[in-house]
Amino acid sequence: MIEFERFTLDNGLRVIVHPDKTTPMAAVNMLYNVGARNELEDKTGFAHLFEHLMFAGSKHVSDFDVALQMAGGVSNAFTNNDVTNYYDILPANNLDRALWLESDRLMHLNINSRSLEVQRKVVIEEFKENYLNQPYGDIWHLLSKLAYKVHPYKWPTIGKELSHIEHATLDDVQQFFAAHYRPDNAILVLAGDIDLEMAKSRVFHWFGDIPAGKMQKKNIPAEPIQTEARLLEAEANVPLNAIYKAWHMGPRDSQNYYVMDLITDLLSEGDSSRFYSALVKESKAFVSADAYISGSFDNGLVIVEGKLAPGVSMKMADELLTDQIELLREKIVEARELEKVKNKIEAYYAFSEINLLNRATNLAFSELLGDADLINHEMNAYLKIDAAELQKEAQQVFSPENCSTIYYYSKK
């Protein structure tokens, strides 16, 4: 059980305090409720761009990382479709340093032509390196666009097009910052050698004067139900042919999320998984095969993919993957196999909770999903899944008309 307390400042900043006196360290996790799904279709990649701009200096700090390192700390951040998350680890007796830095860049971020140009170049290079020039790097652009027709998940976090970042103006990014970087759109978690009263005092000191922003209604269109199978064929300079199949699934806060997560582990987690045993080891049709979920806040995707062994046709590969999916729909999973997968998930959660930063980040995510206490009950959501529920959800999600497939060919 992860113990915590929470309070909210008058400006709307939600704060969670997780004391842990077994460590001399503190984790400061600042989660903003903004991701790629909050972008305009002609201005994509902005959420990720801000992940970089937030380290470009603020009114009182020219270099965020250097200022934190001088207090013995380190920091980093990540962006996805739904959130942008910043975190710091430092000695607990230097907690004020992290709170000062986080509050200063929230209230006085230094957004100017120079900082925009510097970070624009960094992001453009990242786009080219990871999504344009890397083998299979464009798959998320192709798959997102194929599976989603209305919802902003139809473009990946890096952005729909490179030109959107290339042409971003100072006014564009200032408007994005004003709209989303507000205390009432953030969750701050303090974990480690901290007590509640001290946390209240220090958070109020550093964040209490920051005004709440103007709340904007988030009109995110729901993706219509997919009613027919979709197929895209692509070709690129890649070493092996590959196949990708995606089905729409439920949102992150639904029971369907846990069932699909468990199913993908059953399919591809470890050398005793179904994919490895049937597709790689026995048939030798694939050199690798994987299954995973997007884990999106809104309706997400469950994805299977594989790299084909030389000489294996795309038709044969598709049939073999489909056979594995159909097994889930047609046949009840044996109790021993289900128990094995649950044990792996239980072990993952247990090890994950050892890490102080993981606890801080997961508390922030759980709070954004509706209740920080969710972190203490998620394992039960997995454990209560039985074979009948697994089969029922598989029958609903893995219908042929709900599937988007990409045949990704290697250029001869």
Side-chain angles (χ1 to χ4, degrees), residues 233-296:
E233 295 187 84
E235 188 180 67
N237 288 317
V238 294
L240 295 169
N241 291 341
I243 182 172
Y244 300 83
K245 298 177 79 70
W247 294 262
H248 294 277
M249 57 172 279
R252 177 63 178 81
D253 61 355
S254 69
Q255 179 62 18
N256 180 254
Y257 165 85
Y258 302 103
V259 177
M260 288 297 115
D261 192 29
L262 197 150
I263 282 177
T264 55
D265 277 6
L266 183 149
L267 289 174
S268 70
E269 180 64 31
D271 290 351
S272 62
S273 66
R274 292 187 175 194
F275 275 7
Y276 186 81
S277 298
L279 304 179
V280 178
K281 188 177 177 181
E282 294 176 12
S283 75
K284 301 187 188 309
F286 288 82
V287 297
S288 67
D290 200 3
Y292 49 93
I293 57 175
S294 63
S296 305

Side-chain angles (χ1 to χ4, degrees), residues 346-370:
E346 199 165 13
Y348 168 80
Y349 267 77
F351 282 114
S352 176
E353 290 180 1
I354 292 173
N355 184 285
L356 181 66
L357 179 59
N358 284 350
R359 278 177 268 155
T361 301
N362 290 335
L363 280 166
F365 270 97
S366 297
E367 181 68 8
L368 187 59
L369 285 170

Side-chain angles (χ1 to χ4, degrees), residues 175-189:
Q175 286 186 34
F176 191 87
F177 182 79
H180 301 291
Y181 280 79
R182 316 182 313 260
D184 53 326
N185 200 42
I187 296 169
L188 172 64
V189 177

